[in-house]
Amino acid sequence: MSISKKRKEYLLEKFKYAAKEFGKSGAKSNHLAVPKEQQLSIDLGNRKVFGIINKILYWIENNFTYFFPRYNLFPEVGVEGRKIPGANTRVKYFNSDEQFDQRKFIGEQDGELKLYNLEGKLYDTTDKISKGKKGCVAYVITLDGKLVTHEHINVNKSEWAYRHSTLAGGKPILCSGLMKVVNGKITYIDNNSGHYKPESANLYNAVKKLEGLFSKDAKVACLPYWISLKKQIPLIRKISLAKREPVEKFLERMEKKGKDGLTQYERHFHRIKEFNEKYSEKLESQSVYAKVAAHNYKSVPISDCSNPKIIKMAIEHSIRRIIGANYGHKPKLDIKYDKEEAVGVNVIFHYKDDRSRFVEILDLHKCSYLSRIQENKYIITMSIEQADEFIKDALQIKIDSVEQLGTRLVMG
């Protein structure tokens, strides 16, 4: 069955729109006061997970999404008000006015800080219920420090579902979860949020932001990832296994320095920052490679890229392409050094057939080289001059110098 040109254009526009909306939902804000590693966006399966147990649980969640009906985030990407599959419910997103109406404000009474609603009355959640927890409401803390709360309304409970993403309007936040407030004082707070998946470090930011508003006997419950995952499974999600601890004890535990000189929350955000930087490099490398591929591997000036690793990756992918190998067969390019002088280039393959096809191309272009096998690696070595000539003539990629691209390896 052929598809008409008009239909193709419609589908292409629809795909572009979906990609744009997914990008907005998954991207972090350029908010200057909050570092990106401390921001939480709706999790679309692109969240970095630390630890082998968490990795396994994350894999289960992503590969068996039908076991987690409340994790259906697709209706929230794109046009607001789209129905959730298999339900007559739509997801509500607060606009700025609606968000303002649900904000809670800090005031002082008898020398104590307390929370007030928009009408100026002491805030109290005793008659509320969220996620099956009596006396609880869902909360988010926005990047500019605003506290927004509302009861969590699930699918098929009403025309509109109210989720943590509702309160934030789908935007990045500092933290989200459930809280209890009695007579203006917070008596309980946690990080129970399947959309944003805050971790202990994010909850720490929330507790610090709300410091002075907790009752003397207030408790903090930090849900590990596996408990957060369990809570999405219908048959067992009401079983509570989260450990509650006093606010002071939670802060003390999070602020205790380890052997590396970092506190628990500092360590977490440091690792997130490292991941973000690597991910940014990956995106840039994809952009450079796309530039090369778009020109059908003709002469492309990529030396204006600021990162030598990314230029090297584009060259590695170009070699993979000309030998007809798939993505898993990308070779590795290394510069060989004798003391301070670059003397050669290694092109390292993991498969014998890839090496053989590359040799055929070198022979076709009359390139000189040496070939050897070392620890199940198939290595082609060329001089700096020969490699430079091959990249510019055979791959037709313009670079300043091959010597800029490699990792220093001292010759043995």
Side-chain angles (χ1 to χ4, degrees), residues 16-28:
K16 287 180 179 178
Y17 175 78
K20 180 181 177 182
E21 294 301 319
F22 264 102
K24 286 196 295 185
S25 295
K28 295 177 182 178

Side-chain angles (χ1 to χ4, degrees), residues 52 64-66 122 165 195 230 250:
I52 187 63
F64 299 95
T65 53
Y66 51 86
L122 284 173
S165 55
H195 273 61
K230 171 195 72 68
F250 171 73

Side-chain angles (χ1 to χ4, degrees), residues 216-238:
K216 292 181 180 179
D217 59 347
K219 295 292 189 294
V220 179
C222 186
L223 283 67
Y225 185 86
W226 71 272
I227 292 182
S228 299
L229 178 63
K230 171 195 72 68
K231 284 183 172 292
Q232 310 312 316
I233 304 175
L235 296 178
I236 63 173
R237 67 185 178 206
K238 290 186 178 181

